[in-house]
Amino acid sequence: MSDDTYGLRAAAELIGIMPSTLAYIVSVGDVLPERGVPTSTTYEGTVWNDLKKFVFTSPDIERYKLEMDRRNFVDFKAEYADVYTPDEGPNSRGLEFGPGWTGILGEFCDHMRDYNDIGRSCKLRWGKEKFGALKLFCDYDDSIQRYVEHAKGVAYGRSLGTCQECAAPGRLRYGDMICLTLCDRHAHLAEPLDLERDGKVLDVSAWTRSQRRTE
């Protein structure tokens, strides 16, 4: 390859991520290499490819660096540094979900600011996607536990109707191996779908609890 083009591994190293992470971002379909992606089958919103044939240019590297800033919530962390205190320690966790939920995260932290403004300490520590829904973890005064748990519940509920990739309206996609809340354009990320449950199970945690009650 010429000096200004790179394969998947070399491009990932320049961006500062794992090759699997770069491959996933390409499969999302929102940021594609300018030389195009070699495909065996393509349909709306889906990229099937031979990773060994990927070619990235220098401008691609910069575009994917910006995309990683978005996925790492760089702007959010700067804006909400007063209420977001990152988890620390050898087993620390981060913001482990898609960028489409950034708006939900910001609304939650706005509530946290309201509590801090009246002298009730509340800090977001970390969050994760589990079974297609947003779960947030905080440190807070015991006196506001009920309010914080309510705000967490609102964020959880909103996430089940919001694509975790792009923030468009979405729904839980029940795959054979994974459950993700996605819009139609990004639904391919959960394929192959479990046709017995997809579209019928709207909240995996609630469905699981109901199954235990009926057994």
Side-chain angles (χ1 to χ4, degrees), residues 174 197 204-215:
Y174 207 117
R197 295 181 176 87
V204 177
S205 295
W207 177 80
T208 301
R209 291 193 297 271
S210 70
Q211 292 296 107
R212 289 171 181 166
R213 288 196 295 268
T214 58
E215 289 176 350

Side-chain angles (χ1 to χ4, degrees), residues 54-157:
F54 275 26
V55 176
F56 298 88
T57 65
S58 295
D60 287 334
I61 301 302
E62 297 308 312
R63 290 167 60 234
Y64 282 102
K65 284 181 178 179
L66 291 175
E67 176 63 7
M68 283 310 302
D69 284 348
R70 187 176 78 97
R71 290 179 174 274
N72 288 326
F73 304 96
V74 169
D75 290 342
F76 165 83
K77 291 174 181 177
E79 182 176 354
Y80 288 97
D82 56 324
V83 289
Y84 173 57
T85 304
D87 195 26
E88 297 178 342
N91 298 312
S92 60
R93 307 288 295 270
L95 301 176
E96 302 164 6
F97 44 84
W101 288 345
T102 304
I104 299 173
L105 190 64
E107 290 179 5
F108 176 83
C109 285
D110 286 338
H111 287 301
M112 301 305 99
R113 279 177 169 164
D114 291 340
Y115 301 134
N116 283 304
D117 287 345
I118 61 172
R120 299 291 189 268
S121 177
C122 185
K123 303 290 184 181
L124 173 66
R125 299 304 301 274
W126 64 284
K128 67 177 180 178
E129 175 271 323
K130 183 174 182 180
F131 300 140
L134 176 61
K135 301 195 73 174
L136 299 173
F137 299 83
C138 309
D139 292 336
Y140 50 82
D141 289 349
D142 291 342
S143 61
I144 58 171
Q145 178 178 1
R146 180 177 64 176
Y147 304 104
V148 174
E149 293 301 320
H150 173 75
K152 288 164 64 175
V154 170
Y156 179 96

